[in-house]
Structures are given as C-alpha cells and as structure tokens.
Amino acid sequence: MHLVGVTGGIAAYKTAELVRLFVRDEKEVRVVMTPGAARFVAPLTFQTLTGSPALLEQFTATAGERVRHIDLALSARVFVIAPATANTIGKMAAGVADNLLTTIYLAARCPVILVPSMNDQMYQHPAVQENLVRLRERGCLIMEPAGGELACGSSGKGRMPEPPQIAEFVRTALREKDFRGIRALVTAGPTREPLDPVRFISNRSTGLMGYALARALTGRGADVILVSGPTALPRPAGVELIPVETARQMHAAVMKSVEGCDLVIKAAAVGDYCPAVTAEQKLKKDGCEALIRLQPNPDILEELGKNKGKRILVGFAMETERALEHAQEKLRRKNLDLIVLNDLNVPGAGFGTPTNQVCLIDREGEVAELPLMSKDSLAHRLLDRIRPLLSGP
Ligand code: CTP
C-alpha cells in the first residue's frame, strides 16, 4: 500500500494527480491529510481517486480498525508526504505528533519520502534546512524542490516537482538495488558535426533511450557516467553528466571515463562522418555544392571492443533493412556482449518516440524479440538481461 500524506500548501492540488499516478501502479493507495491540507483540497477528491476515505481524524476509529495510526503505519510500503510544508517538516524533526499525519510518521517503519514545497525564502531558512538535515540523517528521503514561478508571485527554489517526476522518484526509491557496486558508462543523444559556426550535420536522436537507461541504472544502485550529445532532456538525478557535441568529443570523453567501468551501454547515435574542414566564418549561399567533404569519425564502440577485458559492452543498432543480419554483423565486429536492435520500420520504435520495440541479440546468437513498451520499461528489461552477464565469470 502507498500511503500519501498531504499537508496544507497550495501545491496540494497537484497531489491529486500524483495519487492518480500511484493508483495506476499500486493496488491500494491511502491518503492522510492534515487539517490545513483539507482547506486546499477536499478530502472527497482523494476518496474518489483512491476508493477509500481520505483520513484526517486522529481520535476516531471505524469498524475493523484497532489503532488507526499504527495500522496505517504498519501496512504502508512507502509513506510519501507531498507537499511537505515547513510546519510539518518542523514537527516531524521535533517528534511532535499533533495530528494523524505526524503521528503516523512516528510509527512508520517503511521508507518515508518528503517533497518539500514552500516559498523560496522559507525553504532557504536555516530552521527548515536544519530540520531537513535531521530528517535525512534519520533516513527520510528528500526530493529537492524545483525552481521557477511560485504561487506567492516570486520566483525561486520551492516549487513542488511535477507529479510524474515524484512518481519516478518513489519508484526508484523502492526498487531493488541490484546494480550496487557497478560502475556504468552510458552514451546518449545525437552528435553534431559543425560545417560552420551556424550549421551542423546531425541525426534524429533525442536521447530518450540513453537517459532512461541512466535513470534506471542509478535507480538500481549503479554509479553512472552519462556522456551525452545535445538533448533537451533534464540531467537525471545522481548521474555524472558529461555534455559533448561532436563524435570526436564523445570519443575523448568516453576514453577518459571508461577506466574502472564494469559496463558500457552505447545508446548514442554517433555521426559516422564529420566535415573535413569546419569553416571559421559562415558559409555563403554561393558555391557550397562542392565545398562539403567528409572524413570518417572514430568508431568508439569498435575501439572499446578491442580492449574489452572483463567489461560488458552493449551496443545499439538502428536499421532500416536486413535488420537482424546487420545487427549480428555489428555485434561480432564490435566484440559486444549484447546488441539492441531498433528497426525503424516498426511503428512506435526508434527516434523521438516515448516507446520502443527492440530485439536483443547476444553473443551466442540468441535473439529475443520484446514487445512495444515505454523506454523506461525497456531500460529495466535491458538491465534485467544485462545483470547476469555482470556477475558471470
Ligand atoms: N557507434 C560508435 N561510434 C561510431 C558509430 C557508432 O560508438 N562512430 C556505436 C553506436 O553508439 C551504437 C553502435 O555503435 O551503439 C552501432 O551504431 P550504428 O550507427 O547502428 O552502426 P555503425 O557501425 O555506424 O554502422 P552503419 O552506420 O553503417 O549502420
């Protein structure tokens, strides 16, 4: 059961969406509100979403209940307090139990996740910061507030993150840490090969798959370095991000970081060629036809394959024809343990889509075709396949 605590902040209206997301993943979701929260959002909203009454009263018990706060605290798999106001954070840090929510906190033995949300000046106040340090030391997981426009009209760090991000944080917190102790390097995104200060040659990669893999790996306890070409995606929390632009920069960053890595996943779409000359000034319209000559970029994965040692190497292959044959050839040529084949002809697969449909091919030639799924789910399926390779001889 997911237990959601709602306290009296304006962001409480977003918690309705968060609860809706939890209801999708979890059989039972219960909501406990402070009296302040009930002034912002009606308990009926949460009752409608969860199918169970939102709980507010500390000193009542309905049929079948023994001690309400103990029952709830013991049956929760996780207790997520979103938004967490300065007031509730202060009470939790001091061990005050003056309402049902703060009382449950003291009785809970499950992971407790706090999502502070308040005015930026309040958030920065040493009293709040010290309370958060105390709670963190006692094992609470704290999701940093986002920056941006605040309800009070000012702007700064204090906004409650969006519900999908909170749901992802919670999922990550609950996941088994089966990659703990593993150091992984992931590459993501496209590369850009400049023709002049204005233009470049690139490809349609958006980085979604590589970033999903980086998030999944950190969520499962790995130390992750993400070498990323230009994307519009936010830096995954807890990941060391090395931004690059060209294939040569990616090559240099990978070669510098790969030492000590147990696993490399190359999801980036690396440009195979770059302009032989990058013009210092903007190229003018006239006479460009003959100007663009290309030269090959290094094949990063092939180079890694030559010095593989015990490291597990996973590549991607993006194909439009004779897909399996090409992917198998790449697996052999690049000395890979696993190759993930994307067939661009499959609807919902490939660049820019939130979903993907792939085939996994291993060194023994075994081919496993996976169904269409979200890139986040696929990232975990891939890690499930990779995990036994890492513990192998
Ligand atoms: N790759 C790489 N360095 C390159 C090109 C590709 O590391 N210069 C990696 C990609 O990150 C991917 C795998 O190799 O994991 C296969 O990439 P792909 O572009 O499909 O294969 P290529 O070897 O470039 O072959 P082709 O473009 O001819 O299909």
Side-chain angles (χ1 to χ4, degrees), residues 316-331:
F316 276 68
M318 171 71 79
E319 306 293 345
T320 56
E321 47 143 17
R322 306 211 319 269
L324 200 58
E325 196 183 310
H326 280 136
Q328 278 164 333
E329 184 276 323
K330 281 175 194 174
L331 176 111

Side-chain angles (χ1 to χ4, degrees), residues 342-353:
N342 268 305
D343 188 336
L344 262 193
N345 298 315
V346 176
F351 291 140
T353 58

Side-chain angles (χ1 to χ4, degrees), residues 146-190:
E149 201 179 299
L150 300 169
C152 54
S154 69
S155 168
K157 191 172 169 185
R159 273 174 70 86
M160 186 161 103
E162 295 310 311
Q165 289 168 283
I166 303 176
E168 176 69 26
F169 187 93
V170 173
R171 244 179 262 130
T172 299
L174 295 180
R175 211 174 279 283
E176 195 200 335
K177 305 290 183 234
D178 58 346
F179 277 71
R180 189 167 279 150
I182 301 291
R183 198 167 168 75
L185 191 152
V186 179
T187 69

